[in-house]
Amino acid sequence: MDAQSYNTALTELRTLRDEIKKTRSRLAKLEASRDKQVTQVAVYEKAKAERIAPAAGLSVAQLVALAPTLAPATLTTRDTTTAPPGDNPPEPLHQKTAPHTPAPPSAPAAAEPQATTPAPDPDNPPAPILDDAPRTLPCLPGGEAGDAWLTPTANLASTRPNFTQQARSTVFLDTTTGVLVHRNQTHHLDLGTCTAADILHAVFNALPEGAERIYITAGDPWHRDADRHPYLRDAVTTWLNAPTPGWRTDTGRGRDRMAGHFVHARNPVGRYQHENSEHHVEIRSVGEWFDLDGDDPHTVRDAFVLLWQSLRRHWSDAVIMGSPSQTGRDLWTRTIPTRGQWADGYPVLSEELRGLLHATAGQGRNELITPPRVPSQLPRLVEYDRTFAYAKHTWKSPVGTPRRITAHTFATWSHKEQQRALYGCGHWHVRVTVPDTWNHIGLLPAPAPGDRAWHYPAEPGTTFTTWAGGPEIHTALTNPLTPWKIEILDGLLWEEGKPLDDWARKLKETWTNLSAQARLQGNPQQARAAHLASRAVRSILLYGIGSFAQRPRMVTGTTPRTLERDIPTDAEIISFDDQTITWQRPTGFSRDPNAHPEWAAAIWSGARAALLTQRHRDDDTYAGALHTQPGSVIAFRTDALYLTHTQNWPHHQQPGDYLLRGHLTGPLTAPTTEEELLTLRNAGRAALTTTPDA
């Protein structure tokens, strides 16, 4: 760029700046006018929030913030009681051993009476819950209601399938170059403007027999008009729902029935059926399986072939399905025992208990620690990533129907029984106090404002109430610095079993073999294909575990503006234009026979605990954030640690080992946003001269 171009660009930026100011000013006036109109219509005696909200393009909570008199009767304040009904809070569990010496928790002492929550006053209804209200976690109800939660869902269990999964005809398409790879054939397509209709037309012209699955390896055609939309998700929705002459949206079929399109900002799925035949086809992103770095469709094809061949060594009927999560769960069902205690299947928890786990069991730890808790200038930024981390925590899982362990019951147990319970398969409702002398990172997750948001309090003397898994509770009580103060308020305790052990063992062996091929293969393309296949195995386990969590379903729909009163009353408006309103609403949990959030929660808890401290028996050493200097931990990202100093932690190419992924020499300004952290992370990875496979 020369000086003239530079000055011209600055002039254009100033013009854009002025336009942005004008637009923001106009938007502020429009919003003020809307808010005024809302308050005016709210005084109508028959005004209803569910009617006004879609008309104003607001959620019910946002509307109530403007007009509190419209608060629906179903909105009440959250119960601020920290202990479950009917139980007295016990004295805290704490260590009486010297610091730096892990020890089991001591028995709790006598409990004090608990204050009860006042009954609601019908003449003075409480204020509604708004979107930015602090989040309070649910607890188990007392009495018969709580007992009913422990009863598994009737006639629903995970059983071994009695059918053979059918393979789908698959092709790989680069929408940038138009290269299509089908088995050993290569075609060059004219994709026009890369609409779904263009892709379907071009593929079926080149392959008269058609295909059932089209993997997009490059080009991201669903982002072609992203600059016309405020969010990528909106661009994807428009692309998926554009007209496809000769095709209609698929309504699903078969045992792995998946109906309709799946809207995702990065990896969407378009499902279509030919109007004049029974031909079904999916358009998917290969990004669901692994990240590409300019790899052509031939290399991607080879990676999937290697993946299938490797899985077949352990599962004679293995089939690669559309996504890693589908593949992972299908392979797992084929390891369910046909004899023994669980021959009749693994029971599925009640919907209420699944909902409790959904609300109280977070996934990976994602936390950015900013100044003044860390230096404003960092000497360096070092990234350590736990290799194939979740595979380390599948050897033991909760099975069967859980027992409820109340505070009183826990207090009556012996020291040995308490230790065994906290080291077992449990999910605990606890009150936590950070030690007064604490000067390191937080250890236990606490609910933060926002849907499923968590933070990790570390300020000395802070007290909070939360739910956490046994591995994290045990770590907080036996950490190598100072034991934390833990009060057991309630809990769920399962029998220990190995429902995932055979499945995970086979995947780990597959991953190990493919990783070795990637390191030893002399042909660069085959080495790259083996590396991608190993990453696909990682995704199968990672997303397979996530699929056990079975989140509540969210249905998305559109309604013409002229029929807005037909929008479901519990729906949230997510976008709208002159013709239609797009909304979404939760529909609860499906009757999924493979829903086991207790397994996902146990693995996630173990992985979070291992980020803090992990013993390497063969090396007689420990690794993890608690084995670093205070103030040296910059961030956590699921299974990665970002530090200011290098560590001499062992790495033997085994699941769970800490692998050095990036090293950036400073001085560096400490990141204060996720974007800044990722920028430094990418620079650190590029700066590291040798980057082993992770």
Side-chain angles (χ1 to χ4, degrees):
M1 176 178 285
D2 55 23
Q4 182 178 357
S5 300
Y6 175 74
N7 291 327
T8 301
L10 289 180
T11 301
E12 293 175 352
L13 281 176
R14 295 186 188 100
T15 302
L16 288 172
R17 176 200 63 194
D18 295 340
E19 288 295 325
I20 290 171
K21 287 182 178 179
K22 292 178 183 178
T23 303
R24 284 177 175 166
S25 176
R26 183 169 179 271
L27 176 61
K29 291 179 181 179
L30 289 172
E31 289 178 337
S33 178
R34 177 202 61 193
D35 295 348
K36 181 179 179 181
Q37 191 75 6
V38 165
T39 56
Q40 289 176 353
V41 299
V43 301
Y44 177 53
E45 60 181 4
K46 295 183 179 180
K48 294 183 180 296
E50 59 268 23
R51 288 285 310 280
I52 300 175
L58 300 170
S59 68
V60 172
Q62 291 170 326
L63 182 73
V64 170
L66 292 172
T69 57
L70 293 176
T74 55
L75 288 180
T76 59
T77 52
R78 289 181 171 89
D79 183 5
T80 57
T81 306
T82 55
D87 277 326
N88 295 326
E91 286 294 320
L93 293 170
H94 55 85
Q95 302 294 344
K96 296 184 179 179
T97 54
H100 306 284
T101 305
S106 59
E112 297 180 359
Q114 175 196 336
T116 58
T117 305
D121 183 354
D123 297 326
N124 295 286
I129 304 170
L130 301 182
D131 288 343
D132 57 352
R135 189 165 57 99
T136 302
L137 299 179
C139 59
L140 287 163
E144 294 182 358
D147 294 338
W149 281 29
L150 304 183
T151 303
T153 303
N155 304 316
L156 193 64
S158 304
T159 57
R160 195 181 185 103
N162 57 4
F163 65 94
T164 300
Q165 194 67 255
Q166 297 300 309
R168 301 284 180 87
S169 173
T170 302
V171 300
F172 303 90
L173 174 63
D174 183 331
T175 60
T176 303
T177 63
V179 173
L180 174 77
V181 174
H182 175 231
R183 297 176 182 170
N184 294 323
Q185 304 172 10
T186 302
H187 303 268
H188 295 270
L189 309 184
D190 180 2
L191 298 175
T193 59
C194 268
T195 64
D198 291 336
I199 292 172
L200 292 171
H201 178 74
V203 169
F204 278 77
N205 268 356
L207 303 173
E209 70 278 17
E212 295 178 276
R213 186 175 295 136
I214 302 171
Y215 276 123
I216 305 300
T217 64
D220 295 342
W222 36 79
H223 293 162
R224 286 297 176 93
D225 294 326
D227 56 343
R228 300 182 183 179
H229 300 273
Y231 302 104
L232 279 179
R233 185 182 175 88
D234 294 337
V236 171
T237 301
T238 301
W239 189 87
L240 289 172
N241 293 323
T244 51
W247 297 83
R248 63 174 181 268
T249 301
D250 196 351
T251 55
R253 74 201 192 285
R255 296 177 185 271
D256 59 338
R257 182 171 184 167
M258 297 291 287
H261 303 314
F262 174 66
V263 180
H264 186 278
R266 300 289 179 184
N267 300 312
V269 182
R271 300 185 176 97
Y272 304 92
Q273 180 180 353
H274 199 277
E275 290 182 346
N276 300 322
S277 70
E278 290 298 315
H279 205 107
H280 303 254
V281 62
E282 292 181 332
I283 300 178
R284 310 187 71 111
S285 169
V286 80
E288 296 178 83
W289 292 87
F290 36 65
D291 293 329
L292 296 180
D293 185 16
D295 301 287
D296 60 41
H298 298 87
T299 304
V300 176
R301 185 263 327 267
D302 291 346
F304 274 87
V305 171
L306 279 174
L307 173 63
W308 177 76
Q309 292 172 339
S310 300
L311 292 175
R312 281 273 171 152
R313 295 189 180 100
H314 298 286
W315 287 275
S316 60
D317 55 354
V319 169
I320 297 178
M321 302 179 70
S323 69
S325 61
Q326 289 175 312
T327 306
R329 289 222 297 186
D330 181 69
L331 293 176
W332 172 75
T333 61
R334 299 173 193 281
T335 65
I336 297 175
T338 56
R339 294 183 297 176
Q341 181 180 3
W342 306 108
D344 293 332
Y346 294 101
V348 174
L349 301 178
S350 68
E351 185 170 330
E352 292 81 4
L353 213 52
R354 280 181 277 155
L356 178 73
L357 286 166
H358 168 69
T360 61
Q363 192 174 350
R365 178 169 180 168
N366 288 285
E367 180 186 22
L368 176 62
I369 303 172
T370 57
R373 292 179 59 191
V374 297
S376 57
Q377 292 292 311
L378 310 180
R380 64 188 61 82
L381 185 70
V382 186
E383 178 190 7
Y384 286 95
D385 190 15
R386 292 188 67 227
T387 301
F388 206 12
Y390 287 176
K392 178 77 171 178
H393 307 286
T394 55
W395 64 277
K396 179 180 71 173
S397 301
V399 290
T401 302
R403 289 186 294 154
R404 181 177 186 175
I405 310 301
T406 64
H408 174 73
T409 299
F410 190 87
T412 62
W413 284 353
S414 67
H415 164 84
K416 186 175 182 179
E417 288 173 320
Q418 291 181 353
Q419 181 186 20
R420 186 185 303 117
L422 292 177
Y423 205 72
C425 295
H427 191 57
W428 301 96
H429 193 196
V430 293
R431 184 183 294 114
V432 184
T433 301
V434 183
D436 292 335
T437 58
W438 190 255
N439 66 345
H440 218 296
I441 56 173
L443 302 187
L444 291 171
D451 181 39
R452 294 187 58 77
W454 302 89
H455 66 138
Y456 294 80
E459 187 71 23
T462 300
T463 296
F464 59 94
T465 301
T466 190
W467 285 82
E472 293 169 283
I473 299 294
H474 190 268
T475 297
L477 289 167
T478 64
N479 77 80
L481 303 177
T482 303
W484 280 33
K485 179 180 173 183
I486 307 289
E487 302 172 59
I488 301 295
L489 304 176
D490 210 344
L492 297 166
L493 188 62
W494 282 266
E495 177 185 345
E496 295 180 11
K498 295 181 177 293
L500 303 177
D501 191 48
D502 186 36
W503 172 72
R505 177 183 56 79
K506 292 176 177 178
L507 289 176
K508 283 186 282 188
E509 290 178 4
T510 303
W511 172 81
T512 299
N513 291 334
L514 287 168
S515 297
Q517 287 186 51
R519 293 192 301 272
L520 303 175
Q521 174 62 249
N523 184 309
Q525 180 172 324
Q526 288 302 306
R528 178 62 179 171
H531 171 74
L532 293 177
S534 73
R535 301 299 291 177
V537 175
R538 176 184 178 275
S539 296
I540 288 173
L541 186 133
L542 178 68
Y543 295 118
I545 290 169
S547 70
F548 287 125
Q550 194 227 16
R551 306 300 184 199
R553 292 178 299 172
M554 187 72 72
V555 172
T556 302
T558 58
T559 300
R561 293 291 295 263
T562 56
L563 299 174
E564 63 183 48
R565 67 170 58 199
D566 293 339
I567 296 175
T569 57
D570 59 344
E572 176 188 1
I573 308 301
I574 56 176
S575 67
F576 56 89
D577 55 29
D578 293 338
Q579 284 76 41
T580 60
I581 299 172
T582 303
W583 48 267
Q584 65 180 14
R585 59 185 291 267
T587 59
F589 295 94
S590 64
R591 280 185 60 85
D592 184 351
N594 297 322
H596 291 286
E598 68 276 20
W599 297 349
I603 291 170
W604 294 338
S605 177
R608 290 194 299 269
L611 279 176
L612 302 174
T613 179
Q614 173 178 283
R615 185 185 177 191
H616 292 260
R617 286 184 173 84
D618 294 342
D619 300 277
D620 192 25
T621 188
Y622 288 85
L626 291 179
H627 303 280
T628 65
Q629 291 297 317
S632 65
V633 179
I634 302 302
F636 297 85
R637 280 184 61 82
T638 307
D639 51 11
L641 270 177
Y642 296 84
L643 309 173
T644 59
H645 295 84
T646 57
Q647 305 293 323
N648 189 27
W649 292 337
H651 186 270
H652 303 300
Q653 301 287 344
Q654 294 299 312
D657 288 356
Y658 280 91
L659 170 69
L660 178 64
R661 288 291 306 277
H663 186 287
L664 189 63
T665 303
L668 307 166
T669 301
T672 57
T673 66
E674 183 181 25
E675 183 179 0
E676 292 175 356
L677 173 66
L678 294 180
T679 299
L680 293 176
R681 180 201 68 178
N682 295 338
R685 290 182 178 181
L688 193 64
T689 56
T690 303
T691 306
D693 294 337

